[in-house]
Amino acid sequence: MSLFKARDWWSTILGDKEEFDQGCLCLANVDNSGNGQDKIIVGSFMGYLRIFSPHPAKTGDGAQAEDLLLEVDLRDPVLQVEVGKFVSGTEMLHLAVLHSRKLCVYSVSGTLGNVEHGNQYQMKLMYEHNLQRTACNMTYGSFGGIKGRDLICIQSMDGMLMVFEQESYAFGRFLPGFLLPGPLAYSSRTDSFITVSSCRQVESYKYQVLAFATDADKRQETEQQKLGSGKRLVVDWTLNIGEQALDICIVSFNQSASSVFVLGERNFFCLKDNGQIRFMKKLDWSPSCFLPYCSVSEGTINTLIANHNNMLHIYQDVTLKWATQLPHIPVAVRVGCLHDLKGVIVTLSDDGHLQCSYLGTDPSLFQAPNVESRELNYDELDVEMKELQKIIKDVNKSQGVWPMTEREDDLNVSVVVSPNFDSVSQATDVEVGTDLVPSVTVKVTLQNRVILQKAKLSVYVQPPLELTCDQFTFEFMTPDLTRTVSFSVYLKRSYTPSELEGNAVVSYSRPTDRNPDGIPRVIQCKFRLPLKLICLPGQPSKTASHKITIDTNKSPVSLLSLFPGFASQSDDDQVNVMGFHFLGGARVTLLASKTSQRYRIQSEQFEDLWLITNELILRLQEYFEKQGVKDFACSFSGSMPLQEYFELIDHHFELRINGEKLEELLSERAVQFRAIQRRLLARFKDKTPAPLQHLDTLLDGTYKQVIALADAVEENQGNLFQSFTRLKSATHLVILLIGLWQKLSADQVAILEAAFLPLQEDTQELGWEETVDAAISHLLKTCLSKSSKEQALNLNSQLNIPKDTSQLKKHITLLCDRLAKGGRLCLSTDAAAPQTMVMPGGCTTIPESDLEERSVEQDSTELFTNHRHLTAETPRPEVSPLQGVSE
């Protein structure tokens, strides 16, 4: 333990589980204040930018609220922050923030506060550059010897140096022989860039050579370059240091000479301007960061070097002058002037520990107690070793810590749904237009075989279905206990749920001999609610806007036998026509043909077809299973209803955009409301009252606008939730039709459901459109790809709300087109191999470029046209509404 600990002057912890690196810390007078005091600028990989101005009341105080001048969420990871003269027409200091795909330059300014809350700081974007390549780090300086302004050079991950002359892009050059990016620095005296390549050698490139070299867009040599037009990028000097470098710094202690400092993994180098070694120092520990700075002594340079042993060493050339202990491992270290205290050492760790300290003595008074010496009993040690080895062998024989019993043996869960409605409906606070909303009782029975702990039952149903109680807790202290709970389910709001399936999930802990607290386990049991819970018998409709026809391979079944509880009349001429009236108001008509083995479902709303279609197929399968028929199958031969599906997608996306605009407008009005409040407060506190100048009227108007906008946001959220439920119903129907159309297996249908229904909830941060688009794009580039070129395309790892739904609709159309041409869905490793899709009679090739995709989109528009009657024209007899019985 070091006797010389770093004296804590001010410290704080940044964020929660945020990460930082060596480029995330900067000290400068970023707000151009007249006192010239430095501010601490910190950026994190979570996208947060913070500016501090520490003013501790006494040494060692933690951060106060007023020490944080500004905190902004930039939403993109911050790779590096620098302060310089980055804006043309002024020599004021500005803040440059480097993201992975963007460079932003901000102006930081402060305004004096009128009340005791202090000054207010704000950050204004001056300009930004969108990068075509992923950035690694950057440096800045007066490239080319210009005066009064700084230029920025960014190094990309693939070895390109991009130079920006403030608001404009100058040029880009590729470094020769590049493999991995290294640290980058600029020497103003020699006007050159210095980096360390993957060859473990320091390389220097003149700015003039970079400026006149071949452009980065023309990386390959052409015939004109071979004839001498254009110059190749030539290195000025190199020096092999034999190890990777962590950082590079350039320090000038006079106008005639400067030194290049390179921190390696085990050595510390000081080089001259021409690449010759001035001195080097071998380090006995692993360094983490360093900072050279000019010494008070003439001609010498001090260097701060931090290591992974929580130590900070101060060298003067190669002589160790001071060693101090830190409470953390720093990844960045800076020295600045804070609160009229010069030479403050600022360190930042990778987990956000920010500390301002100074050098001093703080001896530790701890003395290690004397250890009592005792003789070792080797016989007891041998016995203990044999016991431990026996435990290890027993664990290895059992093949792991987890017991091998099945979860079903621990706990059996069964669910029974009552076939009849509750005599007294349990529905409360319903928003359905009908007078009486029915409810049905569901009983869940749990029977344990062994002792279980912390058993908790959670029941889930699809909204707008509601449960009277959805959480239950149990204690199974003895084996073979039976617990039964009951609850009721009813429809709460006036629209149709996307599914009638519920799920009962039980989580519990099973204690073992080695783990008395228990091993956590989960078991679930699904149940199906009756259709009559949300639907009543209705009058069949002769006309409808949306129709689909399901083909079967067996003779039609009487609808009265399939839906015995929905017969509105018992006339023999109407046994193949049935009407359904949902409690939410929708009406659906089901028709069956006597001769063509077909069933038609029709309604005014496309999404309302889903539940009746699914219920029809399930009841047909149950009917033929009871009859002993094993080869029953359904199919769909009509046109895919993509246009109707796209209309629901557009409506849902429009509500999302509208909600985003309303929230932005509400935020603006809230800021305006608080600003008016502050002004009124200042007026009321003034000893000499001044006229309000209609501030009270403006406050009242703003308050009404805030309330109205909040109501609009709440109403839009309700509409968005309802639209998402309808979109899920339509998505279920489209997946069902695709499965019947292409005769997909259960595994392939499960892949489609995972791609089209990835979210249980839809939010502004992560919405349905961008998630589904990413999933479908992955399928198109893996199992449905035609060539290796498509597989090489990288998907965007960040999901953002799209500008429109055109890309999503194009991908859905392309997915249907590739399935129609023989493509099959799979998630195995063989999916990466290009598939050869051949259909009988031949087909066109699957597109491999955007141009071909557009052509296929036009062709697919004809293939998946918006037919209000969704059945393909065939010579078989058609079932006309309310007249199909006579066939």
Side-chain angles (χ1 to χ4, degrees), residues 536-540 566 568 578-581 587:
L536 300 173
Q539 188 69 24
F566 290 89
S568 59
M578 187 168 290
F580 301 88
H581 181 204
R587 295 180 180 271

Side-chain angles (χ1 to χ4, degrees), residues 3-62:
L3 294 178
F4 304 96
K5 296 182 179 179
R7 305 300 299 270
D8 185 10
W9 181 66
W10 178 88
S11 62
T12 184
I13 302 296
L14 304 179
D16 183 20
K17 297 181 181 180
E18 296 186 37
E19 296 182 6
F20 304 84
D21 207 346
Q22 63 181 8
C24 298
L25 177 64
C26 180
L27 263 69
N29 184 19
V30 67
D31 60 343
N32 299 280
S33 61
N35 55 15
Q37 299 294 323
D38 291 337
K39 312 298 184 299
I40 304 176
I41 305 105
V42 184
S44 73
F45 288 166
M46 295 294 290
Y48 288 95
L49 181 72
R50 300 176 177 90
I51 301 178
F52 292 91
S53 178
H55 293 80
K58 61 179 180 179
T59 301
D61 279 356

